[in-house]
Amino acid sequence: MTSGYSDGDNRDDALGWAGDDDPTLVSGDEGGETGTSTGTAADAGTGALEPPEGWTVAGPASAVEAQNAADAALTRTATTSLALVSLGIFGGIYLLYTIGWFIGVARIQNPQADVLSEFMFSLGLWLAVAAPAVWFAVTFWLTRTHPRARIGWLLLGVVLLAPLPFIAGPGVIA
């Protein structure tokens, strides 16, 4: 029975690349057999190898830091659909709160006559306008790894940062 190749090539040649038989090429699993490793026998158990001369380590320098980085990567969880929807709802609420504070602050009359008191009053009003957006951003940033705490802090902010001058009118807060 013939192989179907007229020039005498082997069928296995179709599964290889030109130069696979080059003796200077070493695959990853053969590194320990050829003696190319620069580590000692004690280093082989921990996986710690010294880099070649002139090279630097770009990742964590120690095995403990590498393990901590791997653990941190494992603890990062994917955001669920419910969490994404709730973040969208909270984002909309905080945007409405910022707009409500802006409208409510525009209605408030400044009763202060002193320059410093007038400046502090207007500074407080503008900080009140910025508070919902800052609360949302800081909560989102500080609770990256704790989705339940994120929802709790955002819910607390919804209660604490309600735009009272907009809701109750300008005469209530003076």
Side-chain angles (χ1 to χ4, degrees):
M1 186 177 209
T2 62
S3 66
Y5 293 105
S6 61
D7 56 358
D9 286 339
N10 191 356
R11 289 188 123 189
D12 292 334
D13 287 344
L15 302 176
W17 295 93
D20 278 347
D21 56 351
D22 188 1
T24 60
L25 296 177
V26 178
S27 66
D29 58 345
E30 296 173 0
E33 296 173 2
T34 60
T36 59
S37 173
T38 58
T40 62
D43 290 338
T46 62
L49 298 175
E50 293 294 323
E53 185 177 334
W55 290 61
T56 59
V57 177
S62 70
V64 173
E65 290 176 5
Q67 184 63 35
N68 289 341
D71 290 343
L74 289 176
T75 59
R76 293 187 194 121
T77 58
T79 307
T80 63
S81 298
L82 180 63
L84 287 175
V85 169
S86 64
L87 284 176
I89 291 171
F90 279 123
I93 290 171
Y94 280 99
L95 178 64
L96 289 175
Y97 275 15
T98 301
I99 293 169
W101 272 106
F102 186 76
I103 292 170
V105 163
R107 295 186 203 166
I108 296 176
Q109 299 296 323
N110 187 0
Q112 308 299 328
D114 185 283
V115 175
L116 180 62
S117 299
E118 186 176 333
F119 170 74
M120 294 303 290
F121 186 79
S122 61
L123 177 67
L125 292 180
W126 287 111
L127 288 176
V129 170
V134 171
W135 185 285
F136 183 80
V138 168
T139 301
F140 189 78
W141 180 52
L142 291 178
T143 59
R144 286 178 297 214
T145 58
H146 306 289
R148 288 185 182 162
R150 176 181 289 166
I151 299 299
W153 281 104
L154 289 174
L155 190 60
L156 182 66
V158 166
V159 173
L160 293 177
L161 298 172
L164 295 178
F166 179 75
I167 294 170
V172 176
I173 300 175

